[in-house]
Amino acid sequence: MVTTVVLPVKGMTCGACSAKVGRGLSELDGVDSATVNLVTERATVVFDPTTLDVEALRRAVSDLGYRAPVSVEPEVDAEPVGGDAPASEASTRTLLIAFSLTVPVALLSMISALQFAGWEWVVGVLATPVVWGSGMDFHRVTFRNLRHRTTTMDTLVTLGTTAAWAWSVWALVGDSGHVYFETAAVIVTLILLGRWLEGRARHRSGDAIRALAGLSVQDATLEDGSTVPVGEVQVGMRLLVRPGDQVPVDGRVVDGMSTVDESMLTGEPVPVDVDVGDVVIGATVNGHGSLVIEATRVGTETTLARIMRLVEEAQNSTAPVQHLADRISAVFVPIVLVAAAVTLASWLVLGGPASDGMSAAVAVLVIACPCALGLATPTAIMVGTGRGAQLGVLIRNGEALESTRRISHVVLDKTGTITEGRMALAAVTATSGVDSSRALEIAASLESRSEHPIAAAIAGAVDSHIPARQFTVLPGQGVRGTVSGVDVLVGRPDLFDNLPEDLAVARDKALDTGGTVVVVGWDGAPKAVLVVEDRIRDTSAEAVEGLHSLGLSVTLLTGDDERTARTVANAVGIDQVVAGVLPDEKDAEIARLREAGHAVAMVGDGINDAPALARADLGIAMGTGTGVAMAASEMTIVGGDLRAVVDAIGLARRTLGTIKGNLFWAFVYNVSAVPLAAIGLLDPMIAAGAMAFSSIFVVGNSLRLRHFQGRLAAGALN
């Protein structure tokens, strides 16, 4: 038995830090896995609670030189992830002080016309508070890490600036050479500026989840007009939602008619008509009518809370492509320290000026910071998943992003996916000598015991039901039971050996028009044909065209009759159809496609789709379906618009491409810059600027995902 906790981890400054914490936690007895996210400053740990507890995990983090101030993350954070405030007052003040002192230091050092007798002493006096005051946070972290016998990016900064400052003091006191006070001061200031800008960018990466949190309703109005805090609302309470008000919690309409704007959660721009019996989602906006709803989900169980939880889980995850970067970051700093020492020694051995050797060594220390490697994946995941949430697409983890790269085949369920999933009884045809109303009454009485959408449509067609006994579900086939002492069978036409000619004609006519045929029989013989229709979504054809445009093959997989399935497939542009399958056969069909070499994405919404969703390389659940389907999937479409599946795959691919671009830049930057610094082609001040720019570039590149326009967003603009 294992459990999962999310621990805040404070004090991390680079990829080497996050890699060290992850490695340290993973090495604990009882820990199954540990993933550390530099951007969100959180560690997700899967462990055996019988072996160790959360406090032991916190102590392990502390032993590594960092802080885990809270025992365990709550279900839904009051403060969403995405970084702290854009810039705290303290960090801004520190940067301004450093900048005001560094500017005259740089001017005096680089412009000979401004220099005067004793200017080096003035520069030294101005630079010292920058190095040991403004830069104290770097030194403090370095000394803390030294106590734990570890190194990080701050170690490189401290060694570089201290070396430059100490060399300058020695040269100044001994009047024996060039001073590098400006190098030390500029390095500190540029890194502070880089972190300040990076912090602002990282804060923007969490805009989406903060926007979701801002949708929360504070108060709810009871049916009698009194107001209570939304936290006090209980399941079953009746709430009044006036025109223009937000729906406080998930519920079911018990009185009134209106339209509800769900775009902030589902991404679908068109308001939804609601009537008595319809479900409404908390945080959506009521339109013109007044509604009375009965609360069905409250607190952390509301759709909004679940969305926030899934988004935060995704943002705390990492993609498999990041693992290589983590391994490199873990050993990078010690390698850089050796490289800097070798650089200085080489300059001295080859007879070069000691001051030039020191400058090159300092440049190596500064330029090699692996910050960009640590930020490459988490920033892209944070922005990408946040943008997905705005479009009504929930991406569960980084592995789901990797899966989209390989997908070549998409399998679509029919009911509730391509169609609206709102079955309605269209016709009843009874055989000769049988009353059609009586046949419908018997079928409805038995189907009232089932939760299937087709059963609900039949059961809802009559006002009252005869008690049914000995009810039995025939998986994928129908139901059986006793009504008024008669053994009744309701289900697919092939449950019966032969249909009378009049029923066969009714069946064929229904199948030709895309209707679903249900046969009711008793005394061992078919008595009537019931036709249930499920309207094709207006956007399904566009969605299928979008999947084709991504280079994907599309298959319709359904338990319906072949002719019905073909009618629906032709209407939306699907060429490949697999019909008449049972729930376990859906799973087998996915397995067959995978064995044939296809990477398969399965899209479904029902309990019967769950095995296939789990079997597929990528499971995508329609959020209008069951919780079982969503639990078995890697992605969830909050609304019912199939176009969001195109958005989900497109956004996931774009996010993965951004991650790879970030990692490529970070690797190229570090691999190419270190040799240039070692041979003296990079001034330490330029190195500091380049190091800061690399991190800002990675974060900025990730922020471009905020502008991803899917088909739903395009529809809203048109």
Side-chain angles (χ1 to χ4, degrees):
M1 176 183 176
V2 296
T3 188
T4 302
V5 297
V6 180
L7 298 173
V9 180
K10 302 298 183 181
M12 298 186 297
T13 57
C14 66
C17 298
S18 57
K20 181 177 69 174
V21 175
R23 185 173 63 255
L25 290 173
S26 298
E27 291 174 352
L28 294 175
D29 290 336
V31 172
D32 186 62
S33 65
T35 302
V36 182
N37 190 308
L38 174 63
V39 175
T40 63
E41 296 185 309
R42 300 182 188 193
T44 303
V45 188
V46 180
F47 68 102
D48 182 357
T50 63
T51 304
L52 73 169
D53 56 19
V54 175
E55 288 303 312
L57 298 176
R58 295 182 63 237
R59 287 195 298 273
V61 172
S62 178
D63 291 341
L64 292 168
Y66 303 92
R67 306 183 309 281
V70 181
S71 296
V72 63
E73 181 181 284
E75 289 270 342
V76 179
D77 272 347
E79 178 65 26
V81 298
D84 298 328
S88 68
E89 183 178 344
S91 64
T92 302
R93 183 170 58 253
T94 299
L95 175 61
L96 290 175
I97 292 173
F99 187 80
S100 63
L101 294 173
T102 299
V103 168
V105 168
L107 292 175
L108 283 172
S109 301
M110 292 184 292
I111 302 176
S112 57
L114 299 178
Q115 296 172 354
F116 50 86
W119 68 270
E120 296 97 334
W121 288 93
V122 174
V123 166
V125 170
L126 293 174
T128 297
V130 176
V131 175
W132 298 107
S134 302
M136 182 52 66
D137 283 345
F138 306 133
H139 311 321
R140 188 178 295 110
V141 174
T142 296
F143 297 146
R144 186 183 68 215
N145 288 333
L146 286 176
R147 290 198 300 270
H148 295 278
R149 297 182 297 278
T150 59
T151 54
T152 65
M153 165 267 186
D154 295 279
T155 306
L156 303 180
V157 175
T158 292
L159 286 178
T161 55
T162 300
W165 182 86
W167 173 277
S168 300
V169 171
W170 178 80
L172 183 62
V173 174
D175 196 24
S176 56
H178 184 70
V179 296
Y180 290 96
F181 287 119
E182 80 281 2
T183 298
V186 170
I187 287 174
V188 170
T189 301
L190 286 177
I191 294 176
L192 288 174
L193 175 62
R195 286 191 176 181
W196 188 82
L197 293 173
E198 179 192 315
R200 289 177 60 88
R202 284 167 60 177
H203 182 76
R204 292 173 62 196
S205 69
D207 284 350
I209 189 65
R210 275 187 293 273
L212 284 174
L215 295 176
S216 300
V217 182
Q218 301 302 314
D219 298 307
T221 303
L222 300 179
E223 189 176 13
D224 62 8
S226 60
T227 301
V228 297
V230 73
E232 297 181 6
V233 176
Q234 304 293 321
V235 172
M237 283 186 172
R238 291 197 170 195
L239 308 174
L240 175 64
V241 186
R242 298 183 177 93
D245 286 352
Q246 282 184 280
V247 179
V249 297
D250 294 2
R252 188 176 304 276
V253 178
V254 295
D255 186 39
M257 299 173 54
S258 186
T259 58
V260 175
D261 181 2
E262 300 179 346
S263 60
M264 66 290 295
L265 293 181
T266 68
E268 299 181 28
V270 181
V272 178
D273 294 326
V274 294
D275 201 343
V276 175
D278 290 331
V279 173
V280 291
I281 305 172
T284 57
V285 180
N286 184 27
H288 61 274
S290 183
L291 298 174
V292 176
I293 68 169
E294 182 180 297
T296 56
R297 292 196 186 105
V298 300
T300 60
E301 297 304 314
T302 64
T303 299
L304 176 62
R306 290 162 63 197
I307 290 173
M308 290 184 60
R309 190 157 57 245
L310 285 173
V311 173
E312 290 194 14
E313 287 175 1
Q315 295 184 336
N316 284 324
S317 70
T318 187
V321 71
Q322 176 68 18
H323 295 166
L324 175 61
D326 289 342
R327 290 195 294 271
I328 293 174
S329 295
V331 300
F332 202 76
V333 173
I335 292 174
V336 170
L337 294 176
V338 173
V342 171
T343 297
L344 178 59
S346 299
W347 276 84
L348 296 177
V349 170
L350 295 175
S355 59
D356 291 349
M358 176 61 66
S359 179
V362 171
V364 168
L365 290 172
V366 175
I367 197 71
C369 169
C371 282
L373 282 175
L375 295 169
T377 293
T379 54
I381 288 179
M382 176 171 289
V383 180
T385 54
R387 180 57 179 155
Q390 292 176 327
L391 296 174
V393 175
L394 304 182
I395 302 172
R396 188 176 294 275
N397 49 44
E399 285 77 7
L401 298 175
E402 289 275 358
S403 298
T404 61
R405 176 176 57 88
R406 301 180 288 106
I407 295 302
S408 60
H409 208 102
V410 178
V411 177
L412 302 177
D413 175 50
K414 182 179 78 70
T415 304
T417 302
I418 294 176
T419 64
E420 293 181 346
R422 298 180 181 179
M423 299 289 192
L425 183 68
V428 179
T429 302
T431 191
S432 178
V434 177
D435 181 67
S436 59
S437 298
R438 177 62 177 171
L440 174 59
E441 184 182 28
I442 291 174
S445 297
L446 189 59
E447 293 281 40
S448 66
R449 299 283 300 275
S450 174
E451 296 181 352
H452 196 280
I454 294 176
I458 296 172
V462 300
D463 295 328
S464 61
H465 303 115
I466 304 169
R469 311 290 182 190
Q470 299 176 337
F471 178 82
T472 303
V473 176
L474 307 176
Q477 296 285 330
V479 294
R480 163 171 262 148
T482 301
V483 180
S484 299
V486 178
D487 185 25
V488 179
L489 189 62
V490 182
R492 294 167 51 155
D494 54 14
L495 281 174
F496 301 88
D497 293 332
N498 293 291
L499 293 182
E501 183 177 353
D502 51 355
L503 298 186
V505 171
R507 175 200 63 194
D508 294 342
K509 182 181 178 181
L511 293 176
D512 288 339
T513 57
T516 298
V517 175
V518 176
V519 178
V520 57
W522 57 85
D523 296 332
K527 302 297 184 180
V529 165
L530 286 65
V531 181
V532 177
E533 294 182 346
D534 183 14
R535 198 170 71 90
I536 297 173
R537 298 182 188 274
D538 296 334
T539 57
S540 292
E542 182 185 346
V544 172
E545 185 274 330
L547 292 172
H548 285 149
S549 70
L550 293 175
L552 302 170
S553 300
V554 184
T555 294
L556 174 61
L557 182 65
T558 178
D560 271 351
D561 180 271
E562 175 82 16
R563 292 167 65 180
T564 300
R566 286 286 179 188
T567 300
V568 173
N570 292 336
V572 299
I574 298 176
D575 297 324
Q576 304 173 60
V577 176
V578 179
V581 292
L582 301 176
D584 60 332
E585 292 173 334
K586 286 189 176 184
D587 180 39
E589 178 63 20
I590 299 297
R592 186 191 67 78
L593 287 170
R594 295 185 67 190
E595 289 171 0
H598 299 289
V600 182
M602 171 69 191
V603 185
D605 73 324
I607 293 175
N608 61 333
D609 298 321
L613 288 167
R615 175 78 62 181
D617 297 279
L618 177 66
I620 304 176
M622 306 300 286
T624 51
T626 66
V628 175
M630 287 184 275
S633 64
E634 287 80 31
M635 292 185 184
T636 297
I637 307 304
V638 179
D641 196 324
L642 193 58
R643 291 179 298 176
V645 173
V646 184
D647 293 347
I649 295 175
L651 176 61
R653 287 181 172 180
R654 183 79 61 82
T655 303
L656 183 62
T658 300
I659 291 173
K660 291 183 174 181
N662 287 346
L663 288 174
F664 175 79
W665 161 259
F667 278 123
V668 169
Y669 161 79
N670 282 119
V671 170
S672 61
V674 172
L676 292 176
I679 61 177
L681 296 181
L682 280 181
D683 184 90
M685 292 182 291
I686 297 176
M691 187 272 286
F693 173 77
S694 68
S695 296
I696 297 170
F697 174 86
V698 165
V699 177
N701 189 45
S702 297
L703 286 173
R704 295 192 303 128
L705 290 168
R706 300 197 312 165
H707 305 295
F708 175 85
Q709 292 290 330
R711 289 180 174 256
L712 281 178
L717 296 174
N718 293 331

